[in-house]
Amino acid sequence: MSVGCAEYLKENGDGGHFTEFYGGLTREGQRIKVGNDKTLRPGAEDTFMSYDLPWANASNTPFRLFKSFVHEGGISTPFVVHLPAAMLSEQHNRNGSIDDCGRICHSPWILLDIVATCCDLAGVRLAPDNMEGESFLPILMGNDDAARRKPIFWEHQGNCAVRDGKWKLVRRRCDTAEEICGKKRGRDSDINVYGWELYNMEDDRTELHDLAFENRERVERMAKEWSMWASRVGAKPWPLNPLPKGERDWSNVPWLW
């Protein structure tokens, strides 16, 4: 039973496989059975199962969706840092004691920022153009109000998002363009604008109240920023490879696995 892309590549061999080819062959030439077949015991190399849609949603309660999507249920992860040299010094300076120095910071950061923070800790100074991430060392040193200066961008299997301050713009990949265009919303046929959802993350972390229609200019601006970022970093259209005849993009419908 493969858990993620890295594990799949390691267990099943033949590097270069992506999620649209989960139904391929094992190293022994057996066809991999994709889907939650109750007659099969999961775990063998020729099975690829999930714990299904209801549990995927429950695992990320109260956030929306789950792994592979870039709504909060798919990307929001707590991050624990232990850096006594900074934290104890900061706490001691604050109240003269080193007791109870734990703190919680709610500002959003991304994996790329770990590298920038490590460079900052090591005294390595890099030009901003050479570093995608930003250092969160000020937070470790006690500045709870520190926040990223630049937006955070995501693209994963055709799911796209950008977070800029309290605003998050997110687009969920669908089987057909019509699923995300105005026909679905009944408001507008401009897919470049209304394929996106806009949320105020300070008021709506669960992403239930889409504000895109009321904030068209903000949506257009943030969507343009995402497109510029995607072009700069080389984000590729999904699926990466043409689907085999009779096959479907299983990564898009995990509830059918």
Side-chain angles (χ1 to χ4, degrees):
M1 183 180 191
S2 299
V3 178
C5 292
E7 290 83 357
Y8 174 79
L9 292 173
K10 181 178 179 181
E11 292 176 8
N12 295 49
D14 290 341
H17 281 30
F18 293 93
T19 48
E20 65 266 42
F21 295 117
Y22 279 165
L25 301 176
T26 68
R27 288 168 292 190
E28 303 300 324
Q30 296 174 292
R31 175 64 62 182
I32 298 173
K33 305 174 186 68
V34 178
N36 295 337
D37 187 341
K38 295 181 180 179
T39 66
L40 297 176
R41 182 180 179 87
E45 189 177 356
D46 63 347
T47 65
F48 192 93
M49 300 186 185
S50 73
Y51 68 166
D52 221 343
L53 177 63
W55 277 112
N57 272 308
S59 297
N60 297 298
T61 303
F63 297 139
R64 185 175 166 194
L65 293 174
F66 42 88
K67 179 181 176 180
S68 89
F69 297 101
V70 291
H71 286 74
E72 289 297 281
I75 61 173
S76 182
T77 305
F79 181 58
V80 180
V81 180
H82 183 59
L83 186 64
M87 295 174 178
L88 296 183
S89 175
E90 177 272 323
Q91 188 69 16
H92 181 80
N93 291 336
R94 179 178 293 181
N95 58 22
S97 170
I98 61 174
D99 297 330
D100 189 24
C101 59
R103 291 182 292 113
I104 297 177
C105 172
H106 294 284
S107 59
W109 300 82
I110 194 169
L111 185 65
L112 298 170
D113 298 328
I114 296 177
V115 176
T117 304
C118 289
C119 288
D120 201 3
L121 279 167
V124 177
R125 299 291 176 245
L126 298 176
D129 291 343
N130 295 330
M131 182 69 68
E132 289 285 335
E134 296 184 21
S135 173
F136 52 79
L137 182 59
I139 287 181
L140 304 184
M141 300 301 293
N143 183 4
D144 292 339
D145 296 325
R148 263 182 143 264
R149 298 184 302 274
K150 297 181 293 185
I152 302 174
F153 298 95
W154 291 267
E155 188 282 328
H156 182 62
Q157 297 179 342
N159 298 296
C160 316
V162 53
R163 175 76 184 265
D164 189 0
K166 69 178 183 179
W167 295 102
K168 180 181 175 182
L169 191 71
V170 58
R171 185 175 68 193
R172 175 177 168 178
R173 183 192 74 256
C174 295
D175 280 328
T176 63
E178 275 130 4
E179 290 185 67
I180 59 173
C181 75
K183 293 180 181 179
K184 178 181 178 182
R185 292 175 173 266
R187 289 174 168 177
D188 200 299
S189 60
D190 187 350
I191 191 172
N192 292 324
V193 174
Y194 288 111
W196 295 94
E197 303 166 10
L198 180 69
Y199 298 100
N200 181 332
M201 301 305 285
E202 291 182 357
D203 300 331
D204 185 23
R205 277 291 305 280
T206 50
E207 298 169 306
L208 297 178
H209 306 288
D210 183 5
L211 304 176
F213 187 70
E214 295 84 356
N215 295 271
R216 182 186 179 99
E217 290 186 4
R218 181 178 296 279
V219 172
E220 291 176 334
R221 176 176 59 78
M222 293 179 69
K224 182 177 180 180
E225 290 176 348
W226 183 92
S227 295
M228 293 173 62
W229 167 83
S231 176
R232 178 173 61 82
V233 301
K236 299 180 182 298
W238 187 266
L240 298 178
N241 301 294
L243 296 176
K245 185 177 181 180
E247 187 60 277
R248 70 180 305 172
D249 182 2
W250 289 101
S251 67
N252 194 33
V253 285
W255 45 88
L256 296 181
W257 291 6

